[in-house]
Amino acid sequence: MDPYKHRPSSSHSSPFFTTNSGAPVWNNNSSLTVGSRGPILLEDYHLLEKLAQFDRERIPERVVHARGVSAKGFFEVTHDISHLTCADFLRAPGVQTPVIVRFSTVVHERASPETLRDPRGFAVKFYTREGNFDLVGNNMPVFFIRDGIKFPDMVHAFKPNPKSNIQENWRILDFFSHLPESLHMFTFLFDDVGVPQDYRHMEGFGVHAYTLINKSGKAHYVKFHWKPTCGVKCLLEDDCVAVGGANHSHATKDLYDSIAAGSYPEWKLFIQTMDPEHEDRFDFDPLDVTKTWPEDIFPLQPVGRMVLNKNIDNFFTESEQLAFCPAIVVPGIHYSDDKLLQTRIFSYADTQRHRLGPNYLMLPVNAPKCAHHNNHHDGFMNFIHRDEEVNYFPSRFDTVRHAERFPIPPRICTGIREKCVIEKENNFKQPGERYRSFDPERQERFICRWVTALSDPRATHEIRNIWINYWSQCDKSLGEKLASRLNIKPSL
Ligand code: HEM
Ligand SMILES: *[C@@H]1O[C@H](CO)[C@@H](O)[C@H](O)[C@H]1NC(C)=O
Ligand SMILES: *[C@@H]1O[C@H](CO)[C@@H](O)[C@H](O)[C@H]1NC(C)=O
Ligand SMILES: *[C@@H]1O[C@H](CO)[C@@H](O)[C@H](O)[C@H]1NC(C)=O
Ligand SMILES: CC(=O)N[C@H]1CO[C@H](CO)[C@@H](O)[C@@H]1O
């Protein structure tokens, strides 16, 4: 059975026009008027219905990641990790699970160009036999901030100036001058990977540490990595002008055309794992979303592959109405105490109730493909017909029982209530290492992008100094180069 098929749909079409309620329309060319010159009668129900539907054709765009595109395919396990997790869809090599993936840009509106410097979203929904698992990641392995209370401010700084409706560097530099934890993410955003060539040639990352738990209840922290088999490719500034000048949907077109031509994009999934008992051994906090885990200590372990072999049939129902949420996990996979991840657990379902309505999980693209049941129901746009009489629990008439218990992280949580910053901030080491790993041309491009940003006339002397100071703490020569290009005496 095609899981995407639902009624009413084009397969139930009639050869003539009807009203939404199915009555034939004998004329859809002209409004119903008194005489040939009007006025129009309110009883022209078909006209009113047609206009009213049109008036509501758009739903609010996503508050972030508004611009994007999705595609369908499957995930296949290639390596046994059942000693790490009891997740059913990871139970053995060869097991396949249907997926839908949405790629996106972050800051700008639904129809914005796809050549802008911006992180790219990389969200995967696995339709498993034990419910959906949403791995809602990005193409960069870290994030700008580590506490979700700053997320709305961060988005406001990146979004257009509310007065001019233009994205302005001075606002971004001003905001992040208070947040040196963002430096590591900026070594990705202002690097070449800040503009991927298209969605096929980019990596994906779960970004946060999650937790895998096996049948015996043993937990491991885990980080997820997607590697494209066709390699990573980026657009440099001149390429952006060439590609974007003629074509503001080049990445959407590239994905659609590749799949339509049978050249299916593929990613390999790798994990890094860490025993939670070892979490204090490092000079960084492994649950800090601004840090990567060094691959020499935590090697990438192969898990599976994902192939996108089917384009969506309808952009609205399978991309606009698609809803991902990091809270959506399955037995064997759990969150971690990463504060940013914990905030996301609330925010996604909340925005989706606003964006799509309280029953958004009933929409075919979001609904689980496995049998499911509970007594949360009704509200606006309920479209499931329920015929039971017992919609409460417990009941002597209801045969539904609790599922078998599955293991959750065994860690004991204690502590006093606090509002504070994590202990091991270590904001400068990893960005410095990353900058030094670039070859000289790549370092030069990175510097040029910073010089351009810091040259914004509204970036004050104080703001420029703070940034030069920050980059000097990451790498002394980087700070010096920025200072000399900007004609500023370094304060360090
Ligand atoms: C506390 C921090 C964050 C908050 C509050 C937040 C909030 C949101 C919201 C409200 C949306 C729109 C969802 C919708 O309308 O369906 C969204 C989309 C998205 N976010 Fe976040 N976000 C946060 C951090 C992150 C991080 C760290 C990542 C990457 C790991 C990320 C990746 C995404 C992606 C990929 C989407 C688009 C999903 C899609 O394609 O529909 N976000 N975020
Ligand atoms: C509606 O308009 C089309 C062309 O615009 C015409 O061919 C058709 O006969 C019209 N139908 C009616 C019922 O007026
Ligand atoms: C769970 O992990 C522990 C520790 O790695 C291991 O000793 C145990 O055998 C694992 N259990 C299963 C069911 O794989
Ligand atoms: C837009 O980009 C796509 C994908 O790279 C390409 O096939 C197409 O020819 C481009 N169109 C223009 C007008 O440049
Ligand atoms: C049933 C009917 O009248 N259909 C017409 C609706 O309008 C379009 C465009 O004017 C015509 O092509 C249809 O024949």
Side-chain angles (χ1 to χ4, degrees):
M1 195 197 93
D2 179 3
Y4 300 96
K5 190 164 151 185
H6 63 289
R7 302 183 69 155
S9 79
S10 45
S11 61
H12 297 85
S13 203
S14 80
F16 48 84
F17 279 94
T18 69
T19 61
N20 283 1
S21 39
V25 171
W26 66 272
N27 178 319
N28 74 80
N29 290 357
S30 306
S31 342
L32 183 68
T33 50
V34 180
S36 65
R37 297 180 57 238
I40 296 174
L41 288 170
L42 190 58
E43 69 182 50
D44 191 348
Y45 170 70
H46 177 61
L47 169 69
L48 301 188
E49 191 179 51
K50 184 173 184 175
L51 290 176
Q53 183 86 45
F54 173 76
D55 292 345
R56 291 164 177 76
E57 263 180 24
R58 298 290 181 276
I59 56 174
E61 63 176 32
R62 290 168 179 82
V63 62
V64 284
H65 296 261
R67 169 61 132 142
V69 62
S70 54
K72 297 179 278 193
F74 64 89
F75 172 76
E76 182 183 51
V77 180
T78 52
H79 293 72
D80 187 8
I81 59 161
S82 60
H83 58 291
L84 291 169
T85 174
C86 58
D88 176 71
F89 80 104
L90 296 169
R91 66 190 175 276
V95 172
Q96 291 194 353
T97 301
V99 298
I100 187 160
V101 178
R102 185 170 176 272
F103 302 112
S104 49
T105 63
V106 178
V107 173
H108 293 281
E109 68 275 17
R110 185 149 55 187
S112 53
E114 295 183 306
T115 43
L116 300 176
R117 183 167 302 279
D118 204 7
R120 298 297 189 271
F122 191 122
V124 182
K125 188 184 289 294
F126 299 78
Y127 298 105
T128 92
R129 301 194 304 191
E130 291 191 326
N132 294 346
F133 168 47
D134 287 1
L135 186 55
V136 196
N138 278 341
N139 71 326
M140 299 174 183
V142 291
F143 203 64
F144 297 100
I145 49 170
R146 59 165 80 95
D147 192 319
I149 200 168
K150 291 259 67 73
F151 189 80
D153 299 284
M154 184 197 97
V155 171
H156 291 172
F158 270 125
K159 287 266 185 190
N161 180 332
K163 203 163 170 170
S164 65
N165 200 31
I166 294 167
Q167 187 186 42
E168 291 168 3
N169 275 324
W170 66 273
R171 303 173 72 247
I172 299 169
L173 296 171
D174 173 26
F175 174 73
F176 285 108
S177 71
H178 300 274
L179 295 158
E181 73 212 49
S182 63
L183 290 165
H184 197 193
M185 182 66 166
F186 277 114
T187 65
F188 290 88
L189 189 65
F190 278 43
D191 176 30
D192 299 345
V193 296
V195 189
Q197 177 178 295
D198 48 55
Y199 296 129
R200 285 184 305 137
H201 293 89
M202 63 183 207
E203 295 181 294
F205 299 91
V207 181
H208 306 278
Y210 285 80
T211 309
L212 294 180
I213 313 149
N214 75 11
K215 263 207 182 69
S216 343
K218 173 65 192 168
H220 280 90
Y221 292 143
V222 62
K223 289 234 192 196
F224 294 101
H225 300 249
W226 295 105
K227 303 262 182 215
T229 55
C230 61
V232 173
K233 289 187 185 160
C234 307
L235 297 179
L236 299 184
E237 277 72 359
D238 290 348
D239 306 325
C240 286
V241 175
V243 172
N247 190 341
H248 94 312
S249 296
H250 78 283
T252 295
K253 185 164 165 26
D254 171 80
L255 183 71
Y256 194 92
D257 290 353
S258 302
I259 296 174
S263 163
Y264 302 138
E266 179 171 338
W267 283 262
K268 304 262 190 250
L269 180 68
F270 294 85
I271 53 171
Q272 290 178 291
T273 55
M274 182 190 297
D275 192 327
E277 312 257 309
H278 302 167
E279 67 176 340
D280 296 327
R281 292 187 181 177
F282 311 98
D283 63 1
F284 63 93
D285 183 336
L287 304 188
D288 175 358
V289 72
T290 71
K291 300 297 182 290
T292 50
W293 295 356
E295 288 179 18
D296 50 342
I297 311 176
F298 306 99
L300 296 180
Q301 309 164 48
V303 176
R305 67 189 192 113
M306 176 171 74
V307 178
L308 298 182
N309 58 7
K310 193 170 184 316
N311 275 314
I312 51 172
D313 301 304
N314 182 278
F315 185 78
F316 187 81
T317 55
E318 294 179 295
S319 189
E320 283 302 279
Q321 291 193 316
L322 182 54
F324 292 94
C325 174
I328 295 185
V329 293
V330 289
I333 301 177
H334 201 81
Y335 325 115
S336 70
D337 295 346
D338 174 339
K339 290 188 209 182
L340 200 80
L341 176 56
Q342 298 259 319
T343 325
R344 295 179 74 201
I345 289 170
F346 165 73
S347 201
Y348 287 70
D350 185 52
T351 198
Q352 285 149 3
R353 280 186 281 266
H354 160 68
R355 184 168 75 80
L356 300 164
N359 284 310
Y360 71 98
L361 285 178
M362 283 185 196
L363 294 168
V365 75
N366 298 326
K369 307 291 174 224
C370 58
H372 51 287
H373 175 88
N374 60 38
N375 295 323
H376 323 159
H377 58 73
D378 295 352
F380 286 113
M381 304 305 288
N382 166 61
F383 56 88
I384 290 199
H385 176 73
R386 301 169 64 103
D387 57 7
E388 73 268 16
E389 292 180 88
V390 176
N391 59 350
Y392 51 86
F393 182 86
S395 160
R396 292 179 212 291
F397 298 97
D398 193 354
T399 53
V400 176
R401 293 283 170 266
H402 287 134
E404 204 181 308
R405 185 177 173 148
F406 55 85
I408 53 173
R411 221 168 80 103
I412 294 167
C413 306
T414 56
I416 58 160
R417 287 185 168 80
E418 282 194 86
K419 273 187 172 271
C420 63
V421 174
I422 58 167
E423 268 162 44
K424 290 183 196 165
E425 284 205 69
N426 203 346
N427 289 329
F428 305 105
K429 185 178 166 198
Q430 289 195 355
E433 287 168 355
R434 180 168 162 81
Y435 169 75
R436 287 186 292 279
S437 77
F438 297 162
D439 65 40
E441 290 81 45
R442 194 164 167 183
Q443 289 186 345
E444 176 59 25
R445 291 192 293 272
F446 181 76
I447 291 168
C448 284
R449 292 177 193 126
W450 272 101
V451 170
T452 306
L454 289 164
S455 301
D456 185 318
R458 291 183 71 183
T460 61
H461 193 67
E462 183 194 10
I463 289 174
R464 277 179 210 162
N465 258 323
I466 291 170
W467 279 100
I468 288 167
N469 179 311
Y470 282 164
W471 286 120
S472 302
Q473 291 185 66
C474 299
D475 184 276
K476 196 153 172 291
S477 73
L478 170 58
E480 283 166 2
K481 282 183 186 153
L482 286 173
S484 93
R485 303 276 178 96
L486 290 161
N487 276 321
I488 291 176
K489 254 201 283 154
S491 54
L492 262 195

